[in-house]
Amino acid sequence: MDNQEVSVDIEAQIVNNDDDQTLPFSIFKKANRSVTLKFENVVYTVKVKEAKGWPWQTKDKTEERTILKGLTGIVKPGEILAMLGPSGSGKTSLLTALGGRVSEGKGKLTGTISYNNKPLSKGVKRTTGFVTQDDALYPYLTVTETLVYTALLRLPNSIKRKEKIKQAEAVVTQLGLDRCKDTIIGGPFLRGVSGGERKRVSIGQEILINPSLLFLDEPTSGLDSTTAQRIVSILWELARGGRTVVTTIHQPSSRLFYMFDKLLLLSDGNPVYFGLGSHAMDYFASVGYSPSVERINPSDFLLDIANGVGSDESQRPEALKAALVEVYKTNLLDNVINEVKGHEDLCNLPIGSPCGETKNFGDWSTTWWQQFSVLLKRGLTQRRHDSFSGLKICQILIVSILCGLLWWQTSISRLQDQIGLLFFMSSFWGFFPLFQQIFTFPQERKMLEKERSSGMYRLSAYFMSRVVGDLPMELILPFLFLAITYWMAGLNPKFENFLLTLLVLLVHVLVSGGLGLALGALVMDQKSATTLGSVIMLAFLLAGGYYVRHVPVFISWIRYVSIGYYTYKLLILGQYTESEWYPCGENGKLKCYVGDFEGIKHIGFGSGLVPALALAAMLVGYRFVAYLALMRIGKSKSG
């Protein structure tokens, strides 16, 4: 097909955007600046652990595997580079490396990746869009809410709040999302927008900032041909606005194939073709590799030879792959290197040259307080279905009424029963908030990685918004429980004793929730975190001073790190005094001191200052540990 005919056909497939000029913002306007992306001899190596072969093997074998094997290329403003290759060929690894998102500790990346002949800076990174394959989005936010919150976080303060919202709404319109703008995103078990609409929302999040660089991982994966065509048409139009677009793609239709300016074909991490997409078939024909049939989708043919499947069935796949790599080195590599090196002279021209000017950006687009406010509102909107869940409220109501009935008007005459209720309160409100909070960060890991990698907000703003956003239900539910159970059970009727018990219980809930946050952030796996949390809380429970009163010395230290132990002691101090009387002896005819009661004596009536300080330290300490654990999320080697 003639290149001019292809270009005309593509332009005919894209909606005329003249009307966009009337909108406050157009996604198809020119990029603020142009960026030339170059990569030279990029090698990426990871260490892979092999599973144990037999039960008596004591150590896992670790081998070093090279994912990318010396890749070189260049993508200029206005071009779309499509990276094509079989599964496992290194497409996503290269895209991640080029986008500056290789996680620390995951592997060793060598070679040179430059942006206008400079390393990746924070300024460039914040004007870079990166669309992941799995579309990490909050399921309970609507399409409009998703884009508006993104605009408020990513667009700079030079743009007023109202204008940011208008830009988000303009993106909704221009991406054809008006029909579903008030529909929630949805998830695996939650009905929401379609796959194509999800993908357009993900792209919309990135193009809101009018990026100079746009990376996309499998943007057409799982979509029908018509939807895929619409997605690639949007990318084509964005590139014509002076952006540099890099995308991985698995098996595009022939119609999509000719929309890509450049093509990089990978086979087992090796390059076998880099150049104009329209010249790929001619190149392979010139070196002796032609399809066995006349009319074939070019991408099908290219994937076949990248997999080692040629017209000569007698040739082994490994031999064909090795031959293709050698042919590439002989026929194309020097041309690619010359193109990369030749572009350096252009970039030495004064400002205004094709390389453009690299603008200095501040560390953050918005202030800490703005980030905190937007993240808090977004978090409350996303979690409104869960935080104010009728099921959760009913659960607490049932437990509180059941406790009130079981301990109905116990009074001090049934001291053993009363302290049993106090211990149950410390146990229940240890486990409940722990398991509510332990899933927080594992569930949001993908979103946190995505947004932190793009420099959307400070980690401290996110963390504080999450902590503050959870406070209402963290404090309302235990208050509801105590307001019902306390008076039904006949605990100390003085109002100051009720307030002291409430204060202790609320602090206990916050400390237990903090432990859940810390465990979740440290482990980042829901099953493992749940198991670890159960073991720790059971250990605290057994050492809490109710079940075992004479704990052996070698294990007695557990009580001094037990949340339940300190809470139980403060609850007792909040109910009784050491010199208070209670009926004892046969038929309760005698009077005994509460301080001498066997179940209380080993706890003691000393000062409550030490347990209060211990809980205060845990309140801060667990959250500090959680924050430190989160600092590793979203970090990359390239900035």
Side-chain angles (χ1 to χ4, degrees), residues 94-123:
L94 178 58
L95 188 80
T96 304
L98 296 179
R101 298 195 176 207
V102 175
S103 299
E104 292 181 351
K106 291 270 183 87
K108 182 181 179 183
L109 181 67
T110 60
T112 303
I113 302 174
S114 62
Y115 311 80
N116 285 352
N117 278 340
K118 295 181 181 180
L120 182 63
S121 63
K122 288 184 177 180

Side-chain angles (χ1 to χ4, degrees), residues 273-325:
Y273 179 79
F274 181 84
L276 297 176
S278 56
H279 291 178
M281 297 296 286
D282 293 339
Y283 163 75
F284 283 105
S286 69
V287 294
Y289 299 97
S290 299
S292 56
V293 294
E294 288 187 11
R295 299 182 67 83
I296 187 175
N297 182 351
S299 64
D300 291 339
F301 169 71
L302 296 177
L303 285 172
D304 281 345
I305 61 173
N307 274 308
V309 179
S311 56
D312 185 359
E313 295 181 0
S314 64
Q315 190 174 18
R316 296 179 60 190
E318 292 77 10
L320 176 56
K321 291 178 183 179
L324 288 169
V325 173

Side-chain angles (χ1 to χ4, degrees), residues 315-603:
Q315 190 174 18
R316 296 179 60 190
E318 292 77 10
L320 176 56
K321 291 178 183 179
L324 288 169
V325 173
E326 290 304 316
V327 168
Y328 171 81
K329 290 179 179 178
T330 303
N331 293 276
L332 281 182
L333 183 57
D334 287 343
N335 293 336
V336 175
I337 292 174
N338 289 335
E339 184 182 6
V340 172
K341 297 295 183 184
H343 199 266
E344 290 183 359
D345 295 331
L346 292 175
C347 290
N348 288 328
L349 293 174
I351 293 174
S353 67
C355 291
E357 177 185 2
T358 302
K359 183 180 176 182
N360 291 323
F361 285 78
D363 280 349
W364 303 99
S365 300
T366 52
T367 65
W368 187 95
W369 181 253
Q370 287 174 317
Q371 293 170 11
F372 169 79
S373 302
V374 174
L375 289 169
L376 177 61
K377 187 174 181 181
R378 186 182 73 173
L380 292 174
T381 304
Q382 157 64 17
R383 298 192 301 278
R384 59 180 179 259
H385 72 284
D386 182 55
S387 296
F388 302 98
S389 166
L391 183 63
K392 189 182 294 184
I393 295 173
C394 286
Q395 178 185 358
I396 297 303
L397 286 174
I398 291 171
V399 171
S400 59
I401 292 172
L402 185 60
C403 288
L405 294 174
L406 287 172
W407 276 278
W408 179 260
Q409 297 300 313
T410 52
S411 74
I412 199 170
S413 62
R414 293 158 55 191
L415 187 57
Q416 180 62 46
D417 287 349
Q418 276 199 347
I419 65 173
L421 173 59
L422 297 179
F423 188 76
F424 171 80
M425 287 164 54
S426 67
S427 302
F428 177 76
W429 287 106
F431 277 96
F432 187 83
L434 174 81
F435 290 114
Q436 291 294 313
Q437 297 294 335
I438 207 167
F439 301 123
T440 297
F441 298 126
Q443 287 177 339
E444 294 196 357
R445 178 173 186 167
K446 287 184 178 179
M447 285 298 302
L448 188 57
E449 286 179 339
K450 169 189 170 182
E451 295 179 341
R452 284 269 290 151
S453 295
S454 62
M456 190 180 290
Y457 47 71
R458 298 168 176 84
L459 178 61
S460 57
Y462 165 80
F463 187 80
M464 289 304 299
S465 72
R466 188 69 220 229
V467 170
V468 173
D470 288 336
L471 282 179
M473 291 310 289
E474 274 192 298
L475 301 180
I476 290 172
L477 291 178
F479 173 78
L480 184 64
F481 169 88
L482 193 65
I484 295 172
T485 303
Y486 191 91
W487 307 109
M488 288 180 69
L491 294 174
N492 195 319
K494 293 181 180 178
F495 190 66
E496 57 267 27
N497 293 89
F498 169 77
L499 289 179
L500 183 57
T501 303
L502 176 62
L503 177 62
V504 172
L505 188 62
L506 294 180
V507 172
H508 175 61
V509 166
L510 293 177
V511 173
S512 299
L515 177 59
L517 291 175
L519 293 176
L522 286 168
V523 178
M524 276 297 177
D525 177 78
Q526 295 187 22
K527 290 184 178 179
S528 301
T530 302
T531 302
L532 182 59
S534 299
V535 172
I536 291 175
M537 288 306 294
L538 283 173
F540 288 172
L541 183 70
L542 293 174
Y546 184 79
Y547 294 116
V548 184
R549 296 169 188 171
H550 304 287
V551 182
V553 176
F554 63 86
I555 201 173
S556 61
W557 58 269
I558 295 181
R559 71 166 55 185
Y560 299 111
V561 295
S562 169
I563 302 171
Y565 171 75
Y566 294 117
T567 302
Y568 181 45
K569 181 167 184 174
L570 288 174
L571 288 174
I572 288 176
L573 292 176
Q575 287 294 307
Y576 315 107
T577 61
E578 188 174 11
S579 58
E580 191 174 353
W581 295 95
Y582 75 97
C584 61
E586 188 176 355
N587 298 323
K589 294 180 179 179
L590 301 178
K591 291 184 178 181
C592 302
Y593 288 117
V594 171
D596 293 331
F597 184 72
E598 186 64 27
I600 295 179
K601 185 164 57 176
H602 71 287
I603 295 292

Side-chain angles (χ1 to χ4, degrees), residues 3 24 48 52 66 77 94 122 150 244 256 278 381 403 412 450 460 539 543 627 637:
N3 289 343
V48 181
K52 296 178 181 178
T66 303
L94 178 58
K122 288 184 177 180
T150 302
T244 305
L256 297 186
S278 56
T381 304
C403 288
I412 199 170
K450 169 189 170 182
S460 57
Y627 180 78
K637 289 183 178 179

